[in-house]
Amino acid sequence: MNDTLLIAVYAFSGAAVAGLAGAGVLRLIRRRSLTVSLAVVSAVAVTAMLAGTLAVAEAMFLSAHDLSVVTMVVAMAAVVSLVTALLLGRWVVARSHELAVAARSFGDGGDFTAPEQPATAELSALSRELAVTSARLAESRERERALEASRRELVAWISHDLRTPLAGLRAMSEALEDGVAADPRRYLRQIRTEVERLNGMVGDLFELSRIHAGTLALSPSRISLYDLVSDALAGVDPLAREHGVRLVGEYVEPVPVEVDGKEMSRVLGNLLVNAIRRTPADGTVAVTAGRSHDGVVLSVSDGCGGIPEDDLPRVFDTGWRGTDARTPPAGAGLGLAIVRGIVEAHQGRATVHNITGGCRFEVTLPAAGV
């Protein structure tokens, strides 16, 4: 038993020396190819075995004949191990290179396509993660393109909408200045109207910039939906009378919600104004509000005749105003974008879908806590 323990100690000592030397070599070549590292690991394993054998032989536990036999066996094992390590290293490096080439494609704006050749479990997992990342980047690029197109469209609309009232203001002011205005009071009323219109557009732009910058500060408080809807209907009643549109708010439950009253009043006002302007005379704009399994749902239905299915996903985009036939004279394509921004800031969502004869905008908000 003592001889066995002594042999184990000598063998471990020799192998430990080879292992420490191999660790030092691996540290020096840690930035080299994986093939070289695998070859070193294979050589260390065989060298450790040979060093342990030589240490035992030095202690005279092996005869010269036995030592030569063991050395020959270790040499053959070293050859086989080294060849196997080189082949494995070259295969792994090749798979790694294929993965790098595939990854470079989606880094340049393309889509990631995983290599067809089988790889190790780790490289396969990395390939799956790269595929997921590629899909996310593609979605991000698509959103960025959509936002950029929306920004360009918004700039074009705003430029057009600003040019018209500014030209009118300039003409009327010149007429007043030259004393050629037939009815100065009418000109002054028109100037005031145009200034209010411009002020509203600037206010919408400022609100939208706060939403996009994430600086929209909310001051939530417990409010009854009934009171919120009643105030909003009262505010747009003159516009509805002017357009000959009937307002209906009969199905509104007195459900409490935790919202910023001022901002949610703006949401309701934008939806109602949007609905009134797009509903023909003698039409109806209906407002409903109540509980649902998702929280609290507030809806505004109009008689616009419906929105093309292809345009439904873009309704809440900044600057979207649909076809020319649906473009209101005072619109800038910001109202619905502001609606979505405010609702999402309240952890809710805004949706739209077509109904018979028109469309329905729905705002879903979290229910107020007890």
Side-chain angles (χ1 to χ4, degrees):
M1 185 64 184
N2 292 334
D3 291 344
T4 302
L5 181 60
L6 192 57
I7 291 173
V9 171
Y10 275 97
F12 177 79
S13 299
V17 173
L20 291 175
V25 174
L26 287 175
R27 180 175 178 79
L28 292 175
I29 64 170
R30 60 184 181 276
R31 299 184 183 276
R32 301 292 296 277
S33 171
L34 180 63
T35 303
V36 178
S37 298
L38 287 175
V40 171
V41 170
S42 175
V44 167
V46 176
T47 303
M49 190 169 101
L50 181 59
T53 303
L54 293 176
V56 172
E58 184 66 23
M60 300 183 180
F61 289 109
L62 286 179
S63 63
H65 178 267
D66 292 340
L67 179 60
S68 62
V69 171
V70 171
T71 303
M72 183 63 66
V73 172
V74 171
M76 295 300 102
V79 173
V80 173
S81 298
L82 185 59
V83 171
T84 303
L86 291 175
L87 291 176
L88 176 61
R90 289 178 61 85
W91 182 81
V92 173
V93 169
R95 301 291 81 78
S96 177
H97 178 70
E98 293 173 357
L99 191 59
V101 172
R104 191 178 303 122
S105 65
F106 83 84
D108 294 336
D111 295 327
F112 175 77
T113 303
E116 297 180 357
Q117 297 293 333
T120 64
E122 292 78 10
L123 291 179
S124 297
L126 178 59
S127 179
R128 289 192 295 270
E129 289 297 325
L130 288 174
V132 173
T133 302
S134 174
R136 291 175 179 171
L137 284 175
E139 293 176 0
S140 177
R141 286 193 295 266
E142 187 62 31
R143 285 195 301 270
E144 184 178 353
R145 282 193 290 266
L147 286 174
E148 185 60 29
S150 179
R151 291 190 190 98
R152 288 196 298 268
E153 190 177 44
L154 173 62
V155 170
W157 281 116
I158 291 295
S159 300
H160 175 271
D161 288 348
L162 287 177
R163 188 181 299 114
T164 301
L166 288 175
L169 288 171
R170 179 178 181 180
M172 287 184 287
S173 63
E174 289 177 351
L176 290 171
E177 183 180 7
D178 296 338
V180 297
D183 187 356
R185 288 184 175 274
R186 184 174 67 85
Y187 275 54
L188 290 173
R189 287 195 300 270
Q190 186 63 30
I191 288 175
R192 180 182 179 86
T193 299
E194 294 297 337
V195 169
E196 289 178 351
R197 176 185 172 189
L198 290 174
N199 183 65
M201 293 174 61
V202 172
D204 286 345
L205 284 171
F206 178 70
E207 183 79 357
L208 196 63
S209 67
R210 289 199 302 161
I211 291 172
H212 286 172
T215 59
L216 180 63
L218 299 178
S219 301
S221 59
R222 183 177 290 260
I223 303 174
S224 171
L225 267 185
Y226 184 85
D227 295 336
L228 199 63
V229 173
S230 298
D231 293 343
L233 289 175
V236 299
D237 184 66
L239 181 65
R241 292 178 183 274
E242 179 184 344
H243 286 74
V245 174
R246 187 166 65 98
L247 294 177
V248 177
E250 299 176 352
Y251 303 101
V252 179
E253 299 179 16
V255 181
V257 288
E258 292 280 349
V259 296
D260 186 309
K262 179 181 177 181
E263 297 297 341
M264 285 308 300
S265 294
R266 182 162 194 159
V267 167
L268 269 175
N270 285 1
L271 291 177
L272 286 170
V273 169
N274 181 73
I276 291 170
R277 285 176 174 166
R278 286 163 173 76
T279 299
D282 296 329
T284 300
V285 172
V287 182
T288 62
R291 297 183 184 274
S292 74
H293 63 280
D294 291 334
V296 177
V297 177
L298 189 154
S299 67
V300 176
S301 303
D302 60 33
C304 67
I307 301 173
E309 293 295 329
D310 293 340
D311 287 342
L312 283 176
R314 295 195 57 207
V315 167
F316 293 100
D317 288 352
T318 302
W320 183 87
R321 298 199 289 188
T323 62
D324 293 338
R326 290 177 49 84
T327 302
L334 304 180
L336 294 179
I338 291 174
V339 166
R340 181 177 62 179
I342 294 176
V343 171
E344 290 180 351
H346 284 85
Q347 306 303 315
R349 68 178 184 275
T351 58
V352 60
H353 59 272
N354 287 321
I355 58 175
T356 303
C359 59
R360 175 179 292 139
F361 288 85
E362 292 186 348
V363 171
T364 303
L365 298 170
V370 180

